[in-house]
Structure formats: C-alpha cells, structure tokens
Amino acid sequence: LKHFPTLCLSLKDLVVEAHERSGGSNEGIEDFQKLGDAHDSVADAKHTADVVFRLLEANLFGQGKAFPVELVNLPDRLLARISINNIASGITDEQLREAFFEMKYLRDLEAKKKLPGDMEKSIILRPIKWKLRKDGKTVGSTYIDFPSREIATNVFRNLPAAKTGCGGSNRSGPCFHEGWPGRNSFMHKLLYFDCHEPTDSEGFESVQPAKKKRIENAPTCETICYGINASGNLKKTITVNRSKSSTVFGPYGRRLLMIQQCTGTRIIMKHLGKLTNFHIDGSTKEKIDNAEALIRKGSNGEFNFIT
C-alpha cells in the first residue's frame, strides 16, 4: 500500500481493487471471505487459492491486463473506521456501545434520518478482543465501522480527549483536543471511559457487577481515525546535546510520546554525532512552538516523573 508501508491489507481488498481496474463486477466480492476466518491459518490458505482461481475466472491474468501490486489509497472501508486500543480491563462491549451511541452528534443524525438505517444497523461495533501484555496487564482492542468517512471523522473530532494520561502518566497535561498524528499520518486521540471493576476471573464479557464505579487511574484508550490526513505542513528542527536526548526520549520513548500527545505534533528523533535533532511536524505554528518548549523542558529534566 503506497505511503503506508507498515499497514497490511486483506486479500479481499486486493481482489476488489483488481476487479474494479479490470472493469469486472464486484458482486459477491464483499462477502467472499467470511467473517471470522481472518486468523484461521487453514482458512487463509484456502482463501488465497480461491482468490487466484477467482482472478483466473475473471481473466485478470493474460490478455495484457495488469495485475495491481500496489494500492495508492486506503480502501473506503478503512476510511470510515475508528479503532480503539488499550481498553482498560472491566470495560464491556455494552458500555463502549453506550458511550458512542449516546453521542449528541450521532443522536442528531439519527433524529434527522441521515443514517442509512437505525443506529444499531448503521454503526457496527466489533466485540472487544482481550489480550495479556508482557507487563501483566490485560487490555482490549476493537474497531467501529461507520456508514461513511464523513461520519467517522466527525465522531472522532467530537470525542473528548483525556485530561491526563499522556505518556502513560497521570501527572501529564491533557491530550491535545484534536489528537496527534501517528507515524502513518493517521490521527490518534486518548480517551477515558467509565467502567466497572472486574469481579469474575473467568472473563470480562460475563462481568455484571451491581455497582458502577469510575476508575480514575485506569489507563487511557487510544483511538485511531483512518479518514483524517494528519500530515502537518509546518516543520521545525530542534537540536540538543546528545547527552540530554535520553532525558527527552524517556523510558521506551514515553516522554517524547507525551510531548506529541500534548501538542498534537509528530516528532522524529535522530542522532548526529554529539548532537540530537528533533524534527517536529505540525499543522500550526502554535503546535510547533509548544512542542519546542516541551522539548526544552524535557532536556532540563522536567519530565523525570515519567519512569
């Protein structure tokens, strides 16, 4: 995928693109790979063979027709998607659905009949998948598919950014209200959710505690919107002594991440001899200036509370 070297697409995306370029019909292609087969190695192998046969049947091999090996843009299905990562243990699918479906923006769309159907059918929230991290914490991830890119991006813009939690510290400042650009120019944002504390060791989906409690120190969720091009048009390079670069970078890069999350910028650190350059990418001069100020503070050891 051009411009997105670290992003892996499904074979279905390639099939759809191939059919569109060849003038063929995409009828039935969207349901070609059944839901739930994505992580089944046997099903994936069978699907790969089926794709080849389908392309042969469509005469995409031969007759001088080029087979696409590179997609320039993201598929429409991703542009209308928001993913949510690092979900705190104890948050249920129902709570997550309620948090989004009760948003004023979406309720107004539903009231004005600007959704293709009712909200439950128009907006698809996938079940949360839980995993145990190496640090012993259990976190979840999921994604939400919206009817259009416009709706997905407006939902993301209306999400309230976390007031702390940047760099993994509750002593940080707030996440920038618009979010910050990630490595692939997708916009990221930190959120907090109200959740229940888990009481059932057998799984989170079965947890039904009677009392709702807000976990103030719960880790933030990280949301990603694929429909917003977050590339900044302003750039600036800040140079510090290499001996101070680790003070800015912090353990596992968390201090530098905090600066990006708080200022809405993307920062790349590169060593050059005895100096270190911090290349700042932002959409406004104010963001650039704020990032520079925090880098200066970081080089003076002001963010040593992030350990």
Side-chain angles (χ1 to χ4, degrees):
L1 182 64
K2 191 175 183 180
H3 307 309
F4 303 96
T6 62
L7 190 65
C8 181
L9 299 181
S10 69
L11 285 169
K12 182 176 70 175
D13 295 316
L14 189 62
V15 173
V16 171
E17 179 75 9
H19 273 248
E20 289 180 349
R21 293 192 185 189
S22 68
S25 172
N26 280 331
E27 184 177 355
I29 293 296
E30 291 300 324
D31 296 324
F32 189 45
Q33 186 176 17
K34 300 301 181 183
L35 183 65
D37 289 349
H39 300 290
D40 186 323
S41 58
V42 176
D44 277 348
K46 180 179 182 299
H47 179 62
T48 302
D50 289 343
V51 167
V52 174
F53 283 118
R54 179 67 68 91
L55 294 175
L56 286 170
E57 292 172 359
N59 294 320
L60 293 181
F61 293 147
Q63 299 183 6
K65 294 180 180 179
F67 182 79
V69 295
E70 181 179 67
L71 278 67
V72 177
N73 298 314
L74 289 174
D76 291 340
R77 67 180 181 85
L78 286 182
L79 295 176
R81 173 176 294 179
I82 290 177
S83 65
I84 310 172
N85 304 306
N86 295 328
I87 301 173
S89 61
I91 295 181
T92 66
D93 294 333
E94 291 73 20
Q95 289 173 316
L96 200 60
R97 180 179 292 105
E98 179 183 358
F100 277 90
F101 283 17
E102 289 301 314
M103 290 181 63
K104 183 178 183 301
Y105 169 72
L106 289 177
R107 287 190 281 106
D108 288 346
L109 285 183
E110 186 178 40
K112 296 176 182 178
K113 298 183 178 180
K114 292 187 176 181
L115 295 175
D118 60 43
M119 199 176 299
E120 289 286 344
K121 295 181 179 179
S122 301
I123 301 171
I124 308 301
L125 173 63
R126 307 295 177 180
I128 300 174
K129 294 183 178 180
W130 299 98
K131 69 176 182 179
L132 183 64
R133 297 194 314 202
K134 292 182 179 180
D135 61 4
K137 295 181 180 180
T138 299
V139 295
S141 62
T142 185
Y143 60 88
I144 307 175
D145 287 325
F146 295 90
S148 69
R149 177 180 185 176
E150 179 184 8
I151 293 177
T153 55
N154 284 334
V155 165
F156 181 83
R157 291 187 176 107
N158 279 276
L159 291 173
K163 295 181 179 179
T164 186
C166 296
S169 172
N170 287 328
R171 294 177 58 185
S172 77
C175 175
F176 194 76
H177 66 281
E178 295 176 357
W180 79 96
R183 291 183 179 180
N184 280 331
S185 297
F186 301 139
M187 192 63 84
H188 298 233
K189 186 183 288 188
L190 293 182
L191 306 176
Y192 271 126
F193 283 109
D194 285 339
C195 62
H196 296 90
E197 289 187 314
T199 57
D200 186 347
S201 60
E202 295 182 357
F204 298 105
E205 294 182 357
S206 62
V207 174
Q208 297 292 337
K211 184 178 180 181
K212 188 174 182 180
K213 179 180 179 181
R214 180 176 180 83
I215 302 179
E216 296 292 349
N217 294 324
T220 52
C221 304
E222 181 179 329
T223 58
I224 305 175
C225 182
Y226 301 96
I228 300 177
N229 186 350
S231 296
N233 53 4
L234 298 178
K235 302 180 186 298
K236 188 172 184 178
T237 299
I238 307 301
T239 303
V240 301
N241 290 329
R242 185 166 182 171
S243 60
K244 293 186 176 182
S245 63
S246 60
T247 308
V248 180
F249 190 70
Y252 304 100
R254 288 198 292 264
R255 293 174 192 163
L256 187 59
L257 176 61
M258 182 203 71
I259 295 174
Q260 296 175 85
Q261 292 171 335
C262 291
T263 61
T265 60
R266 178 173 48 228
I267 304 173
I268 298 175
M269 184 181 76
K270 291 186 177 181
H271 297 302
L272 185 63
K274 295 183 179 181
L275 301 176
T276 297
N277 290 330
F278 291 92
H279 302 286
I280 308 172
D281 181 6
S283 58
T284 67
K285 184 178 182 300
E286 181 181 7
K287 291 180 180 181
I288 298 289
D289 292 343
N290 289 339
E292 178 182 1
L294 292 185
I295 289 174
R296 301 294 186 193
K297 288 183 177 181
S299 66
N300 293 327
E302 294 192 26
F303 303 138
N304 287 345
F305 57 83
I306 298 180
T307 58

